[in-house]
Amino acid sequence: MITVNAMGDACPIPVIKAKKALQELEGPDVLEVLVDNEIAVQNVTKMASSSGGDVTSEKISEKEFKVIIRTDRTMPKRETQAMEEPVLCRTDKRKDTVVVISSDRMGEGNDELGAVLIKGFIFAVSQLDELPKAILFYNGGAKLTCEGSDSLEDLKSMEAQGVEIMTCGTCLDYYGLKEKLKVGTVTNMYSIVETMNQAGKIIRP
């Protein structure tokens, strides 16, 4: 693994450092980029995704974020040329939208299919050009932010890019999952209602 320390660097320096490190790779490798703000995570993620890398990110602390870029082969010339395009400092790409998830299944019918669908739904949200402002989890949806969830990596990546991941505390208590929460914060019904009330748009799977 190669580590690029871009802590304290203003845009476009984190992206430039990450691009340079990727261009110097001679084969499959893992690049770790350390930054101190969510906008840098968004910009590095966008650059790496457009170059063909497999990108995940994680919020380590309030001012510490990690972007992991995995390349499983030497990048073709086409992708290398694309990385040489001018670096643009994009503004926060979060949108005034709130996603509300109340079950660990999507739709009615087969539970196994429903579990596959909700995983695909969360992944699709993580790939949007404009991410939601927040994702709220309550009732059975609380299970998706806890240990064992197949969606943790996608949720952590969105959290690192500034998306608020909020899970109902009463629901966690009911399912005995309070100690197994792995992403985001515990919230209450007042905050859930307030967040939904202030949203420009609400999306429910």
Side-chain angles (χ1 to χ4, degrees):
M1 177 183 287
I2 298 172
T3 299
V4 172
N5 189 344
M7 298 288 288
D9 292 335
C11 185
I13 303 302
V15 178
I16 292 174
K17 284 184 174 181
K19 284 178 66 173
K20 182 178 179 181
L22 281 173
Q23 289 170 332
E24 292 176 351
L25 295 180
E26 297 181 352
D29 212 329
V30 179
L31 181 67
E32 176 184 75
V33 185
L34 305 178
V35 296
D36 61 7
N37 64 87
E38 296 154 347
I39 306 303
V41 176
Q42 293 179 14
N43 285 317
V44 171
T45 297
K46 186 173 182 63
M47 179 279 297
S49 295
S50 65
S51 73
D54 178 21
V55 190
T56 59
S57 51
E58 185 175 353
K59 182 177 182 179
I60 307 302
S61 65
E62 195 63 32
K63 292 293 183 179
E64 185 179 2
F65 304 84
K66 180 192 301 182
V67 182
I68 303 295
I69 307 167
R70 295 178 175 83
T71 59
D72 58 4
R73 75 271 190 265
T74 301
M75 286 185 296
K77 183 178 180 181
R78 175 182 60 81
E79 293 176 355
T80 302
Q81 289 175 337
M83 291 177 62
E84 293 173 354
E85 296 175 355
V87 176
L88 299 177
C89 290
R90 294 174 173 81
T91 56
D92 194 338
K93 67 175 184 177
R94 285 174 298 170
K95 195 173 183 179
D96 188 22
T97 298
V98 171
V99 177
V100 178
I101 299 178
S102 59
S103 174
D104 60 343
R105 302 286 188 273
M106 185 174 181
E108 299 179 1
N110 185 276
D111 284 347
E112 185 176 350
L113 174 60
V116 172
L117 293 177
I118 196 66
K119 181 179 185 299
F121 173 83
I122 292 174
F123 172 74
V125 171
S126 74
Q127 299 302 301
L128 291 174
D129 287 336
E130 293 184 315
L131 296 173
K133 176 182 179 182
I135 306 180
L136 305 177
F137 294 88
Y138 57 82
N139 207 325
K143 299 175 184 178
L144 297 171
T145 58
C146 296
E147 181 181 312
S149 168
D150 291 334
S151 295
L152 288 180
E153 189 173 278
D154 294 328
L155 293 173
K156 288 180 179 180
S157 181
M158 286 190 281
E159 181 183 41
Q161 296 180 69
V163 179
E164 289 187 83
I165 308 296
M166 306 163 67
T167 304
C168 166
T170 300
C171 306
L172 290 170
D173 283 336
Y174 180 84
Y175 290 110
L177 296 171
K178 201 69 170 280
E179 303 303 319
K180 295 186 177 182
L181 184 69
K182 293 299 180 181
V183 60
T185 59
V186 178
T187 191
N188 54 54
M189 191 53 65
Y190 177 81
S191 294
I192 289 174
V193 172
E194 185 176 50
T195 301
M196 293 172 66
N197 184 55
Q198 295 174 352
K201 180 191 296 183
I202 294 176
I203 297 176
R204 302 172 187 269

